[in-house]
Amino acid sequence: MSTRVPVTITVNGKVRTAEVEPRLLLVHFLRENLGLTGTHVGCDTSQCGACTIMVDGQSAKSCTIFAVQADGCNLQTIEGLAPEGGLHAMQEGFWEEHGLQCGYCTPGMIMSGVDLLNENPNPSEAEIRKGIDGNFCRCTGYQHIVKAIQYAAKKG
Amino acid sequence: MIPTEFDYKRASSLDEAVSMLVASGGEGKFIAGGHSLVPLMKLRLSEPSLLIDIARIPDLAGIREKDGKIEVGAATTHHAVETSDLLRRLAPVVAEAAGEIGDPQVRHRGTLGGSLAHADPAADMTAVMVALDAEIHLKGPGGWRAVRAADFFQGIFTVDMAEDEIIAGVQFAPVQAAAYAKLHQKASHYPIVGVCAVLQASGGTVQSARVAVTGASTHAQRLPEVEAALAGKALNQATIDAAAAVAGSGLEDINSDIHASAAYRRAMVKVFTRRALERAAARA
Ligand SMILES: Cc1cc2nc3c(=O)[nH]c(=O)nc-3n(C[C@H](O)[C@H](O)[C@H](O)COP(=O)(O)OP(=O)(O)OC[C@H]3O[C@@H](n4cnc5c(N)ncnc54)[C@H](O)[C@@H]3O)c2cc1C
Ligand code: FES
Ligand code: FES
């Protein structure tokens, strides 16, 4: 048995403490320990981006991080995006522009869109496509996802 | 996919990291960004019994100018390299190449030192460091050692680094007339081939050139046939075309996989050598 490690991780503004096995993946910590199932596991091989969250303000694939590595970090998941009673501009964009079909890729896609606009508030179409390089969508063909991000960028 | 069990420790200094590794008696492994190691551990291709987290060691952080050279700490993320004002000013090729790695999420976590230590045959920064003639700074129980990048990469996932050594950082000279050209594998964005060219030119003549390739063979390496075809020649399109035409003729063990056959890679080494040289020449 490996030694459990105490961690303190802020998730969507709430401080969470736990003792975790070092091999526990961050995505499983979120989904199973905290019940935050908005973050999805698609491929489990670091490719698809369905598990994308923000770690200290930067997008990251939570299936490729051990929870112990996030000790002391500030995380944001899809559940922490919307203001009380409303939608985040990126969520509104996906709603208005039909940026999803099955919705499986959507939480990760939205987090990547938010990360992109944090760095580059007025991206070109090419920059948007490069910004979602790490996210696969098997349904939409990406066209409406690009429009959704453009909508959010326009809304500012 | 769940890795085998392991213990986890976080090192707070370079010396502590090395002594933790020595104490583990060959069972421990460093983890920096984890973006090569975690996937391997999930597949149980790597089963360390101890992970030593080096991502937050202050000695491994930062990009700075020192004695006319540039130093980049091993734990610097690809994203920090890509967006560094200092690098964009003094060695733009390094920032540009880092911006071509993987995707934003990978660049936010993956580190320069991790990429060099792992030495994937298709890593990007390996070729850039070889073409820049960078020095790789290693620390072990016996002290410091510096290795030239061209000597560091020796084979597939094989580098000149002892079991108990750590990469602290890299050092290279500022450079403008350099460029990196890469054929992306569309899903992962690893290079099918990537070529980095560095030119020293004056009065319209190439004094010397360093050109390195990655993705094509077992490890990043220089293309001496291209360098020889450039040295002493007028810097113009005819020279570039002639040099690119011989690119890869000295390469052995060309990779062949589901993404590209050996014949295709051979052809692309020429194409991407030409593109890298054209872009470097535009800055000479
Ligand atoms: C989806 C995906 C796409 C990618 N695309 C690309 C790409 O296009 N181009 C590219 O070049 N790479 C790519 N990568 C790999 C990425 O760049 C990795 O981040 C990098 O190869 C390893 O860096 P790391 O910090 O994550 O290392 P880790 O995974 O933490 O470590 C890798 C190895 O290096 C050792 N190590 C780490 N740091 C040190 C050190 N300072 N001293 C000694 N040993 C050390 C570790 O013990 C381990 O054996 C991709 C990865 C993924 C998951
Ligand atoms: S589940 Fe993490 S990248 Fe696919
Ligand atoms: S909406 Fe189904 S995978 Fe993107």
Side-chain angles (χ1 to χ4, degrees), chain B residues 236-257:
Chain B
N236 57 32
Q237 192 64 42
T239 299
I240 290 174
D241 289 344
V246 298
S249 56
L251 279 178
E252 286 164 20
D253 299 324
I254 302 274
N255 298 331
S256 180
D257 56 28

Side-chain angles (χ1 to χ4, degrees), chain A residues 99-106 109 136-140 145:
Chain A
L100 60 142
Q101 289 178 25
C102 80
Y104 203 88
C105 70
T106 313
M109 205 58 96
F136 294 171
C137 176
R138 296 278 94 137
C139 302
T140 64
I145 292 175

